[in-house]
Structures are given as structure tokens and as C-alpha cells.
Amino acid sequence: MLNRLALLHPIAAAVALAVTVAACTNAPVTGRRQLILLPDAQAEQMGVEAYRQIRSEKGVSSDPRFTGPVNEIGRRIADVSGQPGMAWEFTVFEDDEPNAFALPGGKVGVNTGLFRVAKTDAQLAAVMAHEVGHAIAKHSAERVSRQAVVQIGQQALGAQFPAMTELFAQAATLGLILPFTRDQEAEADQIGLLLMARAGYDPRAAVELWRNFEAAGGNRPPEFLSTHPSPGSRIENLQAAMPRALAEYERSRYR
């Protein structure tokens, strides 16, 4: 195993170097350097197509108990997003899973099941602002770019050491893709916290929301094997970012 890892190390290092050298943009709020190879227009088109497919496969709710707050919260968050040209669209899907998602181009979906955990408008705003954070930070395009670099490394390794292809895939997942996705989640939390505050929603509700998720959660995989930070980690990070968010909340024109 040690010999295999010794062979893997220079290839993994080369992939990491390519990511570092090619990173040419910075994420909003955090300033984190990003590798984005996918053009905006292509990413947005992919987002629109995926959104259409989801709408065709899942039931869309017209219940005003859900659509009313989602549309109002979405309007306010979009207004402070700094992306006036984005064609924002917020849709409620009839799905019991307490979840939401964002796709490139400003397409945001909220499941009806989320209302079981997000018990107030401010808590719902925390989730929606988080998803908008993913969109404006171009996390989908960044993931595609990151995975493309991993695939290049995997193909190069497979050509030289076919038996090690699976080992590289496992190492890349644990050491490159999953931590990166957790970084994106933490970044979307920071961006979302500021957006909800600017939109006039008390950012402290984000902490309450994740306590709700923590209480509702069952068995979770270890954090290092998860694409999402644990609720406890999220709460700690949100509390660290809270002073800036509260200052934005005090200045919000929506209050």
C-alpha cells in the first residue's frame, strides 16, 4: 500500500498544482481563489435545462402557504444579490425531503418538506439565501471544473498504472472533491448569512435553523466522508460570521 501511495503522490500533487495555477477568479465575500473552466453562458444553459427536467419530473406546488413566502423571500434576496441581470426563478416542489437547491442561472427550488424544519420566514430565508450564495459564487461551474481536473489525472494514471485507477479515484474523492464541496457549503453559508441580513431577515435565525436540522437529523456519516459540514460545524462558523451579518441587518432597507 505504501508503494502505491508513493506512486500516487506525484500525480495527485500535479493535479493539485494544476488547480492552484489555473485558479483565476475569486469567490464573493470570502475571496477564495476558484478554478472555473466552464463559461458562464454554458453553465447557465446547463442550469436551465436541468431545471426544466426537474420541473417535468417533480410536482410543482401552487399552495400559497408555500409559494407566498418563497416568492417574497426570493424577491428580496435576489434584490440584494448584486446580480441584477440574472433571471431568478423560485419554485416550490412537492417533495417531503427537507431540502432546497440552486442551479446556474438563478434557478432555485424549495421542497415543501423544508417547511417542517424552517419554521419561520427568517429560517426559510437562511436556506434560500444559502442556495443563492451557491449560485452567485458559481459553485456548480467550479465543481464541474474541479472534477474535470480529477478526471484528467485519473486518465493519466490509468495509462501508466491501470491497476491503480480505482485507488486514485478513492483518494481523489476523499482528498480533493469532498473537502472542496464542504468548503463550498461553508462559503455559501457565509454568503447566505449576509444576503438574508441585507434582505431584512434576522441572521440569527440561521443558527436556529441548523439547530432544527441537528434535532431532526438521524444517523449521519462522519464529517470527513460527507459533502456537507455537520450542523455543529455550521453553527460554529455562522456564529463567527454573525457580527458582520448583524451589522448588515441593522442597515437593511427592508427593516
Side-chain angles (χ1 to χ4, degrees):
M1 177 63 73
L2 289 177
N3 289 337
R4 287 185 175 182
L5 291 177
L7 289 171
L8 175 62
H9 177 72
I11 297 174
V15 172
L17 178 62
V19 171
T20 302
V21 171
C24 57
T25 62
N26 295 88
V29 178
T30 67
R32 178 179 60 83
R33 289 177 64 81
Q34 295 178 286
L35 168 71
I36 298 181
L37 304 175
L38 193 66
D40 288 349
Q42 185 176 352
E44 290 174 8
Q45 182 59 35
M46 291 169 62
V48 169
E49 291 174 358
Y51 202 62
R52 287 173 181 165
Q53 181 176 350
I54 294 170
R55 286 181 64 98
S56 69
E57 294 174 351
K58 298 177 68 172
V60 175
S61 175
S62 58
D63 190 330
R65 295 176 302 167
F66 304 136
T67 60
V70 165
N71 287 333
E72 173 61 15
I73 293 167
R75 181 188 66 80
R76 286 165 59 168
I77 291 174
D79 186 46
V80 300
S81 68
Q83 303 288 326
M86 192 169 289
W88 294 104
E89 185 175 354
F90 299 87
T91 303
V92 179
F93 292 99
E94 294 178 348
D95 190 323
D96 289 336
E97 180 71 20
N99 205 359
F101 66 87
L103 295 170
K107 309 306 179 186
V108 180
V110 177
N111 289 351
T112 53
L114 182 61
F115 285 80
R116 296 199 315 271
V117 180
K119 301 181 184 299
T120 67
D121 282 359
Q123 290 179 13
L124 181 59
V127 179
M128 293 177 62
H130 170 92
E131 297 304 332
V132 169
H134 279 305
I136 66 176
K138 303 179 182 179
H139 284 165
S140 293
E142 189 178 19
R143 281 200 300 270
V144 170
S145 302
R146 188 83 170 198
Q147 289 167 353
V149 172
V150 171
Q151 288 175 353
I152 291 170
Q154 187 173 350
Q155 290 170 1
L157 180 65
Q160 296 295 322
F161 309 101
M164 292 183 60
T165 301
E166 183 177 353
L167 176 65
F168 177 81
Q170 293 172 352
T173 297
L174 290 176
L176 194 63
I177 295 176
L178 290 188
F180 185 75
T181 304
R182 288 201 300 270
D183 286 348
Q184 287 183 324
E185 290 295 331
E187 188 168 77
D189 280 346
Q190 289 189 53
I191 297 170
L193 197 68
L194 294 180
L195 290 178
M196 69 178 292
R198 290 169 184 165
Y201 298 100
D202 190 336
R204 288 168 290 199
V207 174
E208 298 169 359
L209 170 77
W210 285 107
R211 285 180 176 146
N212 292 350
F213 269 111
E214 193 169 35
N219 295 326
R220 291 178 53 86
E223 184 172 354
F224 81 96
L225 290 177
S226 172
T227 59
H228 289 61
S230 68
S233 294
R234 296 188 106 136
I235 290 171
E236 183 178 343
N237 292 336
L238 288 168
Q239 288 174 329
M242 195 61 66
R244 181 180 176 185
L246 286 172
E248 294 284 352
Y249 179 55
E250 292 298 325
R251 292 193 293 266
S252 172
R253 65 178 180 271
Y254 285 103
R255 293 195 66 204

